[in-house]
Amino acid sequence: KQEVTQIPAALSVPEGENLVLNCSFTDSAIYNLQWFRQDPGKGLTSLLLIQSSQREQTSGRLNASLDKSSGRSTLYIAASQPGDSATYLCAAHNYGQNFVFGPGTRLSVLP
Amino acid sequence: DTGVSQDPRHKITKRGQNVTFRCDPISEHNRLYWYRQTLGQGPEFLTYFQNEAQLEKSRLLSDRFSAERPKGSFSTLEIQRTEQGDSAMYLCASSSGMGYTEAFFGQGTRLTVV
């Protein structure tokens, strides 16, 4: 059974810092891994999707990497801004199964 | 393409009442998922459909829960005899192809059982 964890659980940084969010999964037989952002009381917004054959994906100030062998993915946010404050969730998608989510990292970027 | 749409956005109901939520996926997305999220937790899987076929149900989906996707378009999630423990955000997502593509979520339905 796939299990996904995320560290840290919460993070508070001053504006402008580069930061790394971590996601770990127990079953490396994933098809893809997707990162989401969630604002309080809202649904999930897709940020990046990494297929199992890829090692990283980039979108603007965001870069996500995937290491299947070690069961890890990282989300790198460059030059953080107050508008980046949200909860960041990763979800692992195994073959023929549903998405399994981690508990999320709650990010606060202070102006 | 207006994204995944969920209705209602908020629902307050008395314990013991039945409630039904609706999800309209992105047009031509053939896979549709339902998840439940409680405060401070990641979403938990409930069920998913490939077109009109319900392919998997979580053990979280007790006999009081039922989901349908007639004609492979919109989906409904019904909770019968609601309990206070059913209070949560109910999220719907859709994806194209065989499901191994990017999933897009709706804004969710916040259920409060009083």
Side-chain angles (χ1 to χ4, degrees):
Chain A
K1 177 190 171 190
Q2 179 72 275
E3 293 184 1
V4 180
T5 56
Q6 292 186 247
I7 55 173
L11 184 62
S12 184
V13 299
E15 181 177 6
E17 278 203 3
N18 302 326
L19 49 97
V20 175
L21 309 182
N22 297 289
C23 171
S24 297
F25 46 93
T26 55
D27 185 351
S28 62
I30 63 170
Y31 199 91
N32 59 46
L33 187 137
Q34 195 166 352
W35 281 91
F36 296 88
R37 168 189 173 135
Q38 186 174 34
D39 293 294
K42 305 293 186 182
L44 279 63
T45 300
S46 178
L47 297 174
L48 289 165
L49 173 74
I50 312 177
Q51 301 291 355
S52 62
S53 58
Q54 298 174 319
R55 291 196 61 85
E56 65 177 66
Q57 280 281 9
T58 298
S59 176
R61 294 183 294 107
L62 305 179
N63 176 276
S65 66
L66 175 65
D67 184 345
K68 280 182 55 179
S69 61
S70 66
R72 293 180 184 175
S73 177
T74 60
L75 180 66
Y76 177 84
I77 303 177
S80 58
Q81 303 171 358
D84 294 330
S85 298
T87 295
Y88 290 81
L89 295 150
C90 67
H93 195 175
N94 284 63
Y95 291 94
Q97 298 178 29
N98 59 84
F99 290 90
V100 177
F101 281 86
T105 294
R106 191 170 63 255
L107 173 65
S108 295
V109 181
L110 307 175
Chain B
D1 184 351
T2 58
V4 179
S5 177
Q6 292 189 245
D7 183 71
R9 292 291 308 279
H10 303 276
K11 179 70 176 180
I12 300 174
T13 190
K14 292 183 179 180
R15 189 172 48 188
Q17 297 294 306
N18 300 342
V19 294
T20 300
F21 309 141
R22 176 179 171 125
C23 172
D24 287 273
I26 292 173
S27 178
E28 297 183 359
H29 274 190
N30 50 17
R31 186 165 280 206
L32 186 148
Y33 303 83
W34 284 99
Y35 280 79
R36 182 174 70 183
Q37 186 180 30
T38 53
L39 199 62
Q41 304 297 316
E44 295 177 295
F45 170 74
L46 292 178
T47 188
Y48 80 84
F49 294 84
Q50 180 76 29
N51 298 313
E52 66 275 11
Q54 188 173 19
L55 296 187
E56 187 178 353
K57 292 170 59 174
S58 164
R59 57 180 174 77
L60 294 175
L61 214 66
S62 74
D63 291 344
R64 297 184 298 106
F65 287 70
S66 63
E68 294 182 343
R69 193 183 182 195
K71 302 179 182 179
S73 55
F74 70 92
S75 176
T76 58
L77 178 67
E78 181 183 16
I79 309 174
Q80 297 182 329
R81 305 181 302 282
T82 52
E83 302 172 354
Q84 286 190 321
D86 297 331
S87 296
M89 174 79 88
Y90 290 84
L91 295 162
C92 175
S94 70
S95 64
S96 64
M98 291 302 292
Y100 300 131
T101 55
E102 190 172 7
F104 296 91
F105 278 76
Q107 289 300 301
T109 294
R110 168 72 67 188
L111 173 66
T112 302
V113 182
V114 298

